[in-house]
């Protein structure tokens, strides 16, 4: 039995006669197949595996016969490589983790004295807000851009919104006395908004000449 390349001969002798024969043995190296260590990815990413051994014949667990494989799903992947009638193989595990879905529900409007609660969802994950807070919820009262990054299992998701605070100040002045025949203009004082007076009018300013209590929304 031989286990390395070389020239081997044998001679046999009987009385005065000798016979011999020679054979050359060539050991071809096995294909060295290394798909690398097991991998962990985030959803949406892909892993590239290369079986090496140019000129070989490849058989992947997916049915592919190319030298490389692109994978993006959790599973066990193996490849068999045939080269010069010798065979090599390797197996690798791929784990794909989900990416946290972050939805802050879009841009918001804040009225004066309102407090808006932003919820990043995904309980049990790690949070980092643009405000520096690290809780699942934050409370905001001012205009500005607010974003949060939610992380877990080496994957992260992010969302950003803009909150606009609107302050409406309405001042109709103090109570007023009118003489007969006089009128008074009441002006809501804010442009480009919607108006509703208790008289039913929907304009910015109204003229009054009768007793009464007047209000505008």
């Amino acid at each position: 039995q031989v286990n390395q390349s070389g020239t081997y001969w044998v001679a046999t002798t009987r009385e005065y006669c000798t016979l011999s024969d020679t054979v050359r043995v060539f050991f071809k190296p096995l294909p060295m197949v290394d798909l690398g260590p097991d991998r962990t990815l985030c959803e949406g990413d892909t892993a590239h595996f290369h079986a090496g051994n140019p000129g070989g014949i490849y058989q992947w667990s997916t049915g592919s016969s190319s030298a490389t494989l692109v994978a993006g799903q959790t599973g066990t992947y193996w490849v068999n490589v045939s080269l010069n009638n010798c065979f090599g193989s390797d197996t690798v595990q791929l784990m794909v983790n989900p990416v946290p879905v972050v939805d802050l529900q879009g841009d918001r409007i804040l009225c004066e004295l309102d407090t808006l609660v932003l919820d990043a969802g995904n309980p049990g994950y790690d949070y980092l807000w643009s405000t520096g807070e690290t809780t699942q919820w934050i409370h905001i009262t001012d205009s500005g851009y607010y974003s949060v990054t939610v992380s877990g299992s080496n994957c992260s998701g992010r969302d950003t919104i803009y909150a606009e605070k609107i302050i409406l100040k309405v001042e109709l002045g103090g109570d007023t006395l009118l003489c007969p025949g006089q009128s008074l203009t009441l002006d809501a004082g804010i442009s480009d908004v919607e108006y509703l007076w208790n008289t039913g009018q929907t304009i910015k300013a109204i003229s009054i000449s009768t007793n009464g209590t007047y209000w505008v929304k």
Side-chain angles (χ1 to χ4, degrees):
Q1 293 185 354
V2 297
N3 57 16
Q4 59 183 353
S5 298
T7 299
Y8 297 88
W9 57 264
V10 61
T12 179
T13 301
R14 184 176 181 182
E15 296 182 354
Y16 297 103
C17 298
T18 299
L19 294 177
S20 65
D21 195 16
T22 300
V23 63
R24 290 181 179 178
V25 178
F26 299 93
F27 281 91
K28 301 176 181 178
L30 291 174
M32 300 299 295
V33 185
D34 183 8
L35 299 179
D38 293 342
R39 301 273 297 277
T40 300
L41 300 177
C42 295
E43 193 174 15
D45 293 338
T46 55
H48 295 253
F49 300 114
H50 200 298
N53 301 282
I57 299 174
Y58 309 94
Q59 179 187 4
W60 291 88
S61 54
T62 62
S64 174
S65 58
S66 63
T68 59
L69 179 72
V70 179
Q73 295 182 341
T74 296
T76 301
Y77 296 88
W78 54 260
V79 62
N80 291 325
V81 180
S82 173
L83 184 63
N84 298 323
N85 293 320
C86 297
F87 299 90
S89 64
D90 195 19
T91 300
V92 66
Q93 299 282 344
L94 179 63
M95 175 66 70
V96 179
N97 291 323
V99 174
V101 177
V102 186
D103 184 6
L104 298 179
Q105 305 299 317
D107 295 343
R108 308 289 186 87
I109 296 295
L110 281 173
C111 296
E112 189 176 11
L113 303 181
D114 281 354
T115 297
L116 179 62
V117 178
L118 299 181
D119 184 0
N122 303 282
Y125 280 68
D126 295 325
Y127 311 93
L128 180 59
W129 293 86
S130 53
T131 61
E133 295 169 273
T134 57
T135 56
Q136 181 178 336
W137 298 274
I138 66 169
H139 298 76
I140 64 173
T141 57
D142 296 315
S143 297
Y145 286 95
Y146 296 88
S147 63
V148 62
T149 300
V150 180
S151 305
S153 300
N154 295 318
C155 300
S156 61
R158 180 182 175 87
D159 195 20
T160 300
I161 68 163
Y162 179 73
E164 181 179 0
K165 186 173 184 178
I166 297 178
I167 299 176
L168 300 178
K169 293 184 178 181
V170 183
E171 178 58 61
L172 297 179
D175 295 342
T176 303
L177 294 175
L178 295 178
C179 296
Q182 289 183 324
S183 64
L184 176 67
T185 298
L186 298 179
D187 192 335
I190 304 173
S191 300
D192 300 323
V193 296
E194 296 179 357
Y195 314 91
L196 177 61
W197 294 86
N198 62 317
T199 61
Q201 293 167 281
T202 57
I203 56 179
K204 178 175 178 288
I206 66 172
S207 179
I208 62 171
S209 58
T210 59
N211 292 336
T213 299
Y214 295 86
W215 56 257
V216 64
K217 178 185 293 185

